[in-house]
Amino acid sequence: MLSGSSVLKTVLLDTGVLIALLVGIGLWWRRAVRRYYLPCPFWLAWLLENPYMEAMAGSSVILDRLNLSPGMQVLDVGCGTGRVAIPAARRVAPNGQVVALDSQSGMLQKLEQRASANSITNIRTLLNKIEPGVLERNKFDRALLVTVLGEIPDREAALQEIFAALKPNGILSITEVIPDPHYQTLGTVRRLAEAVGFCPDHYYGNFFAFTMNFVKPDPA
């Protein structure tokens, strides 16, 4: 029979191996998305909806920072199972709409089921990657990227597409949270957004979890 100290050492060793494995996978995933489109898989959706995420970047907090009002058109890029899209749809009802875009059918099916269970009818799902030509021009008042930007191989092209889809004076809101393996620093977020024409608006949070809002300038 193992002694108490031996059991503790075994547990600590196993825990260390698991942590090292997770860190290694995270680093590989972070590098791989620069070449391949590797979004968070459907079976890991629980990583996006848990008490930690709600505490660090809850949907209500994110939406409060967008000053939503009824009638607005909202784009949620990489919407997942609807953690933010569903409460956003409630805020812009009855005559506003949320377009929930995701590249995985499983995510959108779960979102549609949840919306139906909550009698929400003003969400339109769009199965696609965020790439040139996917979105209508000058349509949206607000756009959201919640822990998604780092998963996109061509971040500049994605932001250019969102820029074109927003109305003048429309707002893009980007949220990043550690320990997301695709976490983007504030400096990176600002550099990418400003490069396609966005102007910084408001910053909320801290290094570990932040939201940065940008405005599409009105050429007039």
Side-chain angles (χ1 to χ4, degrees):
M1 177 178 290
L2 294 175
S3 66
S5 60
S6 297
V7 171
L8 178 60
K9 289 178 181 178
T10 300
V11 170
L12 290 175
L13 178 61
D14 290 345
T15 301
V17 170
L18 178 59
I19 292 173
L21 179 62
L22 292 174
V23 169
I25 292 172
L27 291 173
W28 172 85
W29 195 3
R30 184 178 178 89
R31 294 192 182 100
V33 295
R34 296 280 70 83
R35 297 182 60 187
Y36 310 103
Y37 198 80
L38 297 171
C40 180
F42 174 69
W43 57 274
L44 284 178
W46 61 271
L47 291 174
L48 308 175
E49 300 192 47
N50 54 66
Y52 175 81
M53 283 297 292
E54 279 302 308
M56 298 298 285
S59 57
S60 295
V61 172
I62 292 171
L63 295 176
D64 286 346
R65 295 167 177 172
L66 275 176
N67 192 28
L68 295 179
S69 59
M72 283 187 172
Q73 300 292 311
V74 178
L75 171 67
D76 186 0
V77 177
C79 60
T81 59
R83 184 175 79 91
V84 180
I86 288 175
R90 291 194 180 101
R91 296 198 184 198
V92 300
N95 55 339
Q97 184 185 58
V98 173
V99 172
L101 182 149
D102 205 283
S103 63
Q104 300 181 82
S105 59
M107 294 287 195
L108 295 182
Q109 288 170 6
K110 181 64 175 180
L111 186 156
E112 289 167 351
Q113 292 169 2
R114 295 172 68 177
S116 177
N118 287 276
S119 301
I120 294 172
T121 59
N122 61 329
I123 295 180
R124 178 168 68 89
T125 56
L126 180 58
L127 179 61
N128 217 314
K129 299 175 184 177
I130 179 65
E131 55 190 7
V134 169
L135 303 170
E136 297 178 56
R137 275 21 189 175
N138 299 306
K139 175 179 176 61
F140 299 99
D141 300 286
R142 303 286 189 269
L144 290 153
L145 281 166
V146 180
T147 62
V148 169
L149 182 61
E151 295 183 356
I152 302 171
D154 193 339
R155 296 167 295 175
E156 293 84 354
L159 291 173
Q160 287 171 352
E161 181 67 8
I162 295 170
F163 185 90
L166 279 168
K167 299 174 183 177
N169 295 318
I171 294 176
L172 166 64
S173 179
I174 299 177
T175 295
E176 295 291 331
V177 180
I178 287 178
D180 178 9
H182 306 111
Y183 173 85
Q184 305 289 288
T185 65
L186 175 62
T188 298
V189 169
R190 288 194 60 160
R191 174 177 59 81
L192 292 169
E194 291 178 9
V196 302
F198 283 107
C199 296
D201 185 27
H202 287 95
Y203 169 76
Y204 308 89
N206 51 53
F207 176 80
F208 298 97
F210 69 84
T211 295
M212 184 75 205
N213 289 351
F214 298 89
V215 176
K216 175 181 177 177
D218 188 342

